Amino acid sequence: MSTTTLNLHDRSLEVILENQQPGGAYLACPVMPDYQFSWFRDGAYIAYALTLDGAQISAARNGSMAAQWESAYRFFAWGARAIIQREAALERVMAAVSAGQQPDMHDVLNARYLPDGSDGPDDWPEFQLDGPGTWLWSLHEYVRATGFTPLPAEWEHAVRLVSRYLAIMWRTPCYDCWEERGTDIHTSTLAAIWGGLKAAQELVPALDYEAVRDEIKAFVLQNCLTPGGELAKSVGVDMVDANLLTVAVPHGLFEVNDPLMLRTLARIEHDLVAPSGGVHRHAEDVYYGGGAWVLLGLHLGWYYAELGQRAKAREILTWVETQADAAGNLPEQVNTSMFAPDHYDPWVAQRGPIANPLLWTHAEYMILQHKLGE
Ligand code: BGC
C-alpha cells in the first residue's frame, strides 16, 4: 500500500467519524450549508464502508468491536429512531395509498434530517424511496458481518415498519436519488426498494415480500427499458443515469453480468464517463455545470471489481487519489469535465463551492479499496 493510499484511507475514516453527530447520523458535508444534514442514502453507503473496514480490524483483534462498527451501530440506531418517530404519519400515508388516494407529502419519510434527527427544513425535494431501501440493505450487511443478532427490538420494529412502507409505496412517483424528476418512477429507486425488501426478509424471517419483489422486477422489465434495450433512468425516458449501476451493485435486482446490465453499462460508459476522470450523473445534468462525480467514478470501479475487471477498477482508485485536496478531502464532483459549463458559476454564486469533503465520496473510496482487497 503506498503512503498516499494509506493516508487517504485514514483521512477518509477520520472525515467520516469527525462528522458523525451525537445522535448517530452523518452529515453529508460539514461545510456546505445545503448539505449540513443527514440522508439515509449517504449514511447507508458510509455505514457499509465502515462495516467492511471494521470487519478487517475486528478480525485482527479477535472479533472485538472496532470503532468503525460502533459508528455504524450508532447510525443504524439513529435511522431506526427516525423511522419510528414518523410511525403515525407513515401509517396514515400507507392507509391512504392502499385506499387508492394521493399520499400527503407531510406524511412520507423525509430525505434530509437535522443533526438531532428531526426533519430538515421543508424547502427540499423530500419524498424519495431509495434512501430507506438502501438503509435496509446496509443494515443487513452490517448484521451479516458483525453477527449482531437478534436485532434490538427497536430495530426490528423499524425494519418491519419501513419495509411495509416501501412495499405499499413503490408504485408512487417520487424524487430520484439526485432529488430530481419528482413525478416519475425511477429504475434505480425500484431496485433500491427491491433490495431493501430482500434485506428486510433476511433480517426478520417472518416477513415475506417475495410476491411484491416479483411484481417490482416484472414492472422494471416491462416499463423501464429504453428503445435500445438498456435500463432507462426513469419510466418512459430514453436516457441512462449512472445511478443504474446500483441496480446490480449493490441491490442485485440483476446480476452484474446480466446482458441487460452489460448493455446499460456500455451506454453509461459511452454517454457518461468523463475522459478526464469521474462519471456524469446523466446527460441533462446542470447542477454545478453537470460535472463529473467522484463518487460515481468509484461506484463504477466497484462495478468493475465485481465483474472481475480489477485493472480498470484500480485505475479509477488511482485517479481518485489525485483528486484529494491538500487536506485529503474528496469532493462530490469535479469541474474538469462539465455537460453544462454555463451553469457552474451561477450555482457557485448561489450555493457556494462544490461540496468538499463529501462523506459519501470518502465512503465509496473505502468501499472500492476493500473490494480490491487493499
Ligand atoms: C445529491 C443526493 C445526496 C445529497 C447529499 C445531493 O446533491 O443529489 O444524492 O444525497 O446531495 O450528499
Side-chain angles (χ1 to χ4, degrees), residues 28 35 39 41-42 177-179 281 287 293 332 358 360:
Y35 285 12
W39 276 257
R41 171 180 44 258
D42 297 45
C177 72
W178 311 131
E179 333 210 279
R281 297 192 296 182
Y287 184 56
W293 282 48
E332 172 188 77
L358 189 81
W360 184 4

Side-chain angles (χ1 to χ4, degrees), residues 6-128:
L6 185 70
N7 288 343
L8 196 51
H9 168 273
D10 290 358
R11 174 64 188 148
S12 294
L13 183 57
E14 185 178 66
V15 167
I16 288 173
L17 296 180
E18 270 176 3
N19 288 294
Q20 184 165 32
Q21 301 304 292
Y26 302 105
L27 288 187
C29 168
V31 292
M32 189 192 197
D34 277 348
Y35 285 12
Q36 288 167 335
F37 296 92
S38 305
W39 276 257
F40 278 101
R41 171 180 44 258
D42 297 45
Y45 283 107
I46 295 164
Y48 180 57
L50 297 186
T51 297
L52 296 176
D53 216 53
Q56 212 171 35
I57 304 228
S58 161
R61 287 191 195 158
N62 291 330
S64 75
M65 190 100 158
Q68 289 90 327
W69 281 1
E70 281 174 27
S71 168
Y73 171 91
R74 295 205 292 124
F75 166 70
F76 292 120
W78 168 79
R81 281 197 306 276
I83 289 164
I84 293 172
Q85 212 167 296
R86 302 280 289 175
E87 181 159 15
L90 297 182
E91 290 295 352
R92 270 197 304 275
V93 78
M94 286 191 277
V97 169
S98 302
Q101 295 157 13
Q102 285 302 314
D104 180 339
M105 286 303 145
H106 294 102
D107 286 344
V108 299
L109 269 185
N110 258 46
R112 38 176 222 171
Y113 292 80
L114 290 164
D116 69 359
S118 60
D119 302 347
D122 263 347
D123 58 346
W124 197 261
E126 293 293 358
F127 179 41
Q128 298 169 38

Side-chain angles (χ1 to χ4, degrees), residues 30-278:
V31 292
M32 189 192 197
D34 277 348
Y35 285 12
Q36 288 167 335
F37 296 92
S38 305
W39 276 257
F40 278 101
R41 171 180 44 258
D42 297 45
Y45 283 107
I46 295 164
Y48 180 57
L50 297 186
T51 297
L52 296 176
D53 216 53
Q56 212 171 35
I57 304 228
S58 161
R61 287 191 195 158
N62 291 330
S64 75
M65 190 100 158
Q68 289 90 327
W69 281 1
E70 281 174 27
S71 168
Y73 171 91
R74 295 205 292 124
F75 166 70
F76 292 120
W78 168 79
R81 281 197 306 276
I83 289 164
I84 293 172
Q85 212 167 296
R86 302 280 289 175
E87 181 159 15
L90 297 182
E91 290 295 352
R92 270 197 304 275
V93 78
M94 286 191 277
V97 169
S98 302
Q101 295 157 13
Q102 285 302 314
D104 180 339
M105 286 303 145
H106 294 102
D107 286 344
V108 299
L109 269 185
N110 258 46
R112 38 176 222 171
Y113 292 80
L114 290 164
D116 69 359
S118 60
D119 302 347
D122 263 347
D123 58 346
W124 197 261
E126 293 293 358
F127 179 41
Q128 298 169 38
L129 294 170
D130 69 292
T134 309
W135 182 80
L136 284 167
W137 156 75
S138 183
L139 173 58
H140 179 233
E141 292 296 326
Y142 177 79
V143 168
R144 249 200 338 195
T146 56
F148 188 64
T149 49
L151 280 189
E154 196 178 49
W155 295 20
E156 179 174 331
H157 187 75
V159 168
R160 285 175 177 272
L161 178 62
V162 83
S163 59
R164 194 157 50 84
Y165 169 73
L166 293 176
I168 289 175
M169 303 291 284
W170 70 270
R171 287 175 189 275
T172 315
C174 65
Y175 287 95
D176 66 12
C177 72
W178 311 131
E179 333 210 279
E180 296 177 341
R181 306 185 84 102
T183 54
D184 285 346
I185 296 182
H186 316 286
T187 311
S188 64
T189 298
L190 292 176
I193 295 171
W194 186 93
L197 293 178
K198 179 164 184 249
Q201 283 182 182
E202 311 224 358
L203 287 163
V204 181
L207 295 174
D208 180 2
Y209 292 118
E210 285 305 319
V212 66
R213 285 174 52 228
D214 287 350
E215 264 187 86
I216 294 172
K217 190 165 186 169
F219 180 93
V220 169
L221 288 168
Q222 179 81 37
N223 301 286
C224 300
L225 301 185
T226 65
E230 302 104 8
L231 285 173
K233 172 182 169 57
S234 309
V235 172
V237 175
D238 185 8
M239 261 203 293
V240 287
D241 187 305
N243 67 18
L244 291 167
L245 297 170
T246 67
V247 171
V249 178
H251 296 303
L253 178 60
F254 303 108
E255 297 294 321
V256 276
N257 54 5
D258 184 305
L260 174 57
M261 284 311 303
L262 293 179
R263 284 196 297 276
T264 307
L265 172 65
R267 185 156 169 200
I268 289 172
E269 288 169 331
H270 180 268
D271 291 2
L272 302 177
V273 171
S276 49

